[in-house]
Amino acid sequence: MKASIEENIAQVTEQIADACRHAGRPVASVSLLAVSKTRPAEDIRAAHACGLNRFGENYLQEALDKIDELSDLDLEWHFIGPIQSNKTRPIAEHFHWVHSVDRLKIGQRLSDQRPEAMPPLNICLQVNISREQSKSGCLPEEAPELAKALSQLPGIRLRGLMAIPKATDDEQEQRRAFADLRQLLEQLAADVPGLDTLSMGMSGDLIPAVAEGATIVRIGTALFGARIPKNV
Ligand SMILES: *Cc1c(COP(=O)(O)O)cnc(C)c1O
């Protein structure tokens, strides 16, 4: 198990480096977030032993159990799943980043509930960039006003945008969605200071995402293999 995680990390790291070279970007400008949802804590230990320290989780209780179990390691935890407003407190108390804020109320609660002794929680505004029905994320035209409001909350720090574009095998279409998100970030940056993050690209589309400016790629399957189904 450990050997294959190690090989997978080497392969993904090489893919990111290649994509950076093609795009004329420094390799260090893209950070690899290992999406460990449904994977046991042991897989995270194995990945950490290979040099990874940023992990993304979608399911709150599962994440809290792993954060507790792995508290001997120096890890950076990112919440990337849908957020119910009655579940914001443990997120504010236990994570370093949240990528899936898509409305002001969630940002306000995270800001209010962030413990004062901790630095502000890093936030990405999630955008429904492909305008899919019943998908998470604000619409692109809602982003400017939301970003301005989120950037003024003291307990959080708005860092940028996150999106999960419509699934497609067409690389041109993938690139277009990522380019749309990059242009939206550039537009917001005229009004909102400190925006430096584009969280975009998963196992199937990390190369076009890096080509269009991703600064965080969120990779699960390509590192850990197919996910263990949740029986809920
Ligand atoms: C599961 C998930 C990922 C990782 O997807 P893979 O295709 O397994 O790399 C990335 N981002 C979000 C928001 C996810 O839920």
Side-chain angles (χ1 to χ4, degrees):
M1 173 58 83
K2 167 130 197 284
S4 83
I5 289 178
E6 189 172 2
E7 283 166 21
N8 292 344
I9 291 172
Q11 224 168 59
V12 168
T13 305
E14 190 50 40
Q15 268 189 319
I16 294 170
D18 264 359
C20 283
R21 278 190 287 272
H22 270 105
R25 303 180 52 193
V27 172
S29 64
V30 180
S31 97
L32 171 57
L33 178 66
V35 176
S36 45
K37 63 181 178 211
T38 80
R39 311 305 313 197
E42 280 323 300
D43 284 11
I44 297 176
R45 258 183 215 287
H48 177 258
C50 300
L52 300 192
N53 65 349
R54 300 182 179 93
F55 293 89
E57 292 280 341
N58 294 57
Y59 308 107
L60 182 58
Q61 192 51 54
E62 178 195 329
L64 294 174
D65 291 345
K66 288 185 221 174
I67 291 170
D68 185 47
E69 198 173 334
L70 296 164
S71 60
D72 57 312
L73 304 181
D74 187 20
L75 304 178
E76 189 178 278
W77 292 100
H78 294 234
F79 193 79
I80 63 174
I83 304 172
Q84 290 167 261
S85 63
N86 63 345
K87 300 278 176 64
T88 48
R89 184 176 296 279
I91 296 176
E93 290 175 347
H94 294 280
F95 285 81
H96 301 86
W97 280 75
V98 180
H99 293 229
S100 42
V101 173
D102 64 359
R103 52 201 195 277
L104 186 57
K105 180 182 175 189
I106 298 293
Q108 282 165 335
R109 292 179 64 91
L110 290 171
S111 176
D112 291 345
Q113 293 167 345
R114 182 67 165 174
E116 268 179 37
M118 296 176 86
L121 181 62
N122 295 293
I123 295 289
C124 292
L125 175 60
Q126 183 175 351
V127 180
N128 183 359
I129 198 70
S130 305
R131 301 174 173 280
E132 290 177 275
Q133 290 275 327
S134 74
K135 270 289 176 73
S136 302
C138 69
L139 290 171
E141 59 271 24
E142 297 169 332
E145 201 180 316
L146 262 173
K148 236 181 263 178
L150 289 169
S151 72
Q152 278 152 21
L153 298 171
I156 64 176
R157 187 169 157 218
L158 181 67
R159 296 293 296 272
L161 301 177
M162 182 274 241
I164 309 171
K166 183 158 175 270
T168 168
D169 292 332
D170 178 347
E171 187 157 333
Q172 286 312 110
E173 220 177 297
Q174 290 174 343
R175 276 193 73 144
R176 206 170 313 121
F178 293 136
D180 287 347
L181 196 70
R182 173 173 47 75
Q183 283 158 12
L184 184 57
L185 186 78
E186 287 162 2
Q187 181 197 330
L188 301 183
D191 278 331
V192 179
L195 300 182
D196 59 6
T197 300
L198 276 174
S199 169
M200 61 189 196
M202 318 203 302
S203 296
D205 55 14
L206 79 89
I207 290 169
V210 170
E212 291 297 342
T215 64
I216 301 179
V217 290
R218 308 178 311 268
I219 309 297
T221 314
L223 294 174
F224 297 112
R227 274 186 284 280
I228 302 156
K230 269 175 80 81
N231 47 358
V232 287

